[in-house]
Amino acid sequence: MSQSNNRLAYIYVFLGASLWGIIGIFVDNLSQQGFSALQIVTVRVISASIMLVAFVAAIDVKLLKIDWMDSMSFIGTGIFSTVFFSWAYFTAIEEVSLSVAVILLYTGPAFVVVLSRIFFGEPMTSRKIGALVLTLFGCVLVIKVFPINADRISLYGVLVGLGSGFGYALYSIFGKYALKKYHPLTVISYTFIFASIVMLPTSGFTISPQQLQSQTVWLNILGLGFFPTALAYFLYTMGLSMVESGRASIAATVEPLVATLIGVWLFNEILTIFQIIGMLFILSAVVLVQFKRIGGVRN
């Protein structure tokens, strides 16, 4: 891959992850309107799937044609990843607190690096390991995980939290397989179609008509389905199609950085010196993971 295409791939990943970082705006608004966590996941995946299918049908309906023998890839991205990691993440928040749940979720890049080594033969380089360490420490500082309230920590919560990181990682693995044969728009469309098939009967029918009567609710549902979902996944998947899974996943850890900055901008939160240091760690990891060779030596 040329250097310019390599940069473009990371720009896609960075923009997609940045859009993931604004999800809290819509989730907070819908929560205030009485939506439960799983109901929010449901409206997210259903609205995204409707928008994606409509868009793809309008520009090239052939992109919606798949070999149903390849359904396992989309079951992987839609159900094993999107649905499972959402359930595990929300459960972890209830069990161990938001800060610890976020850190456990961001074990995802480590899972991606290991799984990519196993399934795709991607090298486990010192540069990737260094970037993972920077990412972990950066996230710990940005999310202000310390001091940890030991009374809130449970073994079940930790295991479910690690499960959320594993589920988060599976999108990059199954997505990479699907991208060998299909366009990124096809991959994300069927990701959310399969996710919707699961979420509609389990949580969708719990949404009452009264919850959908407000214009504000619909604006937030559409915003949630488009910006941090359909568009974000499209940009990330475009980047994933151009670089190694492990590198894309590490670069995507700018998400908590963006989420923190959103909190500062919208909710007047105050950044601590440790959060600023954490942001520098994350940005350093994103820069570090982009370079493959120094002086002709693979890193």
Side-chain angles (χ1 to χ4, degrees):
M1 181 190 295
S2 69
Q3 189 66 25
S4 60
N5 283 341
N6 192 59
R7 288 200 196 96
L8 182 60
Y10 286 108
I11 289 172
Y12 281 139
V13 171
F14 185 89
L15 290 175
S18 297
L19 286 171
W20 280 333
I22 70 171
I23 192 172
I25 299 172
F26 303 102
V27 171
D28 184 65
N29 290 338
L30 288 171
S31 294
Q32 291 182 25
Q33 296 292 325
F35 284 78
S36 70
L38 285 180
Q39 286 176 334
I40 293 172
V41 174
T42 301
V43 297
R44 180 191 188 194
V45 298
I46 291 176
S47 60
S49 64
I50 292 172
M51 284 187 273
L52 284 165
V53 169
F55 177 72
V56 174
I59 63 168
D60 187 357
V61 73
K62 292 180 181 178
L63 291 176
L64 292 176
K65 183 179 179 179
I66 64 169
D67 183 345
W68 289 102
M69 296 296 290
D70 298 323
S71 293
M72 183 51 68
S73 292
F74 305 119
I75 290 172
T77 57
I79 299 174
F80 295 161
S81 178
T82 304
V83 172
F84 172 71
F85 108 72
S86 296
W87 168 81
Y89 181 50
F90 287 133
T91 302
I93 290 173
E94 294 175 355
E95 291 287 328
V96 297
S97 83
L98 175 61
S99 296
V100 177
V102 170
I103 296 304
L104 293 171
L105 174 65
Y106 278 94
T107 58
F111 284 117
V112 173
V113 169
V114 172
L115 292 173
S116 296
R117 172 64 177 173
I118 295 171
F119 293 108
F120 305 123
E122 294 181 7
M124 184 84 74
T125 66
S126 58
R127 192 166 290 272
K128 283 183 186 177
I129 294 171
L132 284 171
V133 172
L134 284 173
T135 293
L136 180 60
F137 279 115
C139 287
V140 166
L141 294 174
V142 167
I143 305 301
K144 297 190 292 186
V145 70
F146 294 112
I148 295 175
N149 183 351
D151 294 336
R152 293 293 309 277
I153 302 298
S154 71
L155 177 60
Y156 174 67
V158 170
L159 291 176
V160 173
L162 289 172
S164 72
F166 182 72
Y168 180 83
L170 289 179
Y171 182 83
S172 296
I173 303 303
F174 283 105
K176 198 72 173 179
Y177 269 114
L179 286 167
K180 292 180 179 180
K181 188 173 180 179
Y182 297 103
H183 189 277
L185 280 172
T186 305
V187 174
I188 60 172
S189 294
Y190 279 95
T191 291
F192 290 108
I193 287 172
F194 277 91
S196 298
I197 290 171
V198 170
M199 294 306 296
L200 181 60
T202 56
S203 297
F205 293 145
T206 68
I207 300 173
S208 68
Q210 288 74 22
Q211 288 178 281
L212 300 174
Q213 289 181 348
S214 167
Q215 181 180 3
T216 301
V217 166
W218 278 107
L219 287 174
N220 278 283
I221 288 174
L222 294 175
L224 175 65
F226 180 69
F227 293 108
T229 309
L231 182 57
Y233 270 87
F234 171 68
L235 290 168
Y236 178 77
T237 307
M238 283 291 293
L240 181 64
S241 70
M242 301 165 73
V243 294
E244 292 178 356
S245 302
R247 293 179 184 275
S249 182
I250 294 170
T253 53
V254 296
E255 179 186 350
L257 185 154
V258 173
T260 300
L261 292 177
I262 290 293
V264 171
W265 176 45
L266 290 182
F267 305 114
N268 298 316
E269 296 177 1
I270 305 299
L271 282 178
T272 67
I273 184 64
F274 293 107
Q275 284 181 298
I276 294 172
I277 293 171
M279 289 180 179
L280 293 176
F281 278 171
I282 293 171
L283 289 175
S284 297
V286 173
V287 172
L288 182 65
V289 79
Q290 294 184 47
F291 297 97
K292 294 184 177 180
R293 296 176 181 269
I294 294 182
V297 179
R298 193 170 185 88
N299 286 281

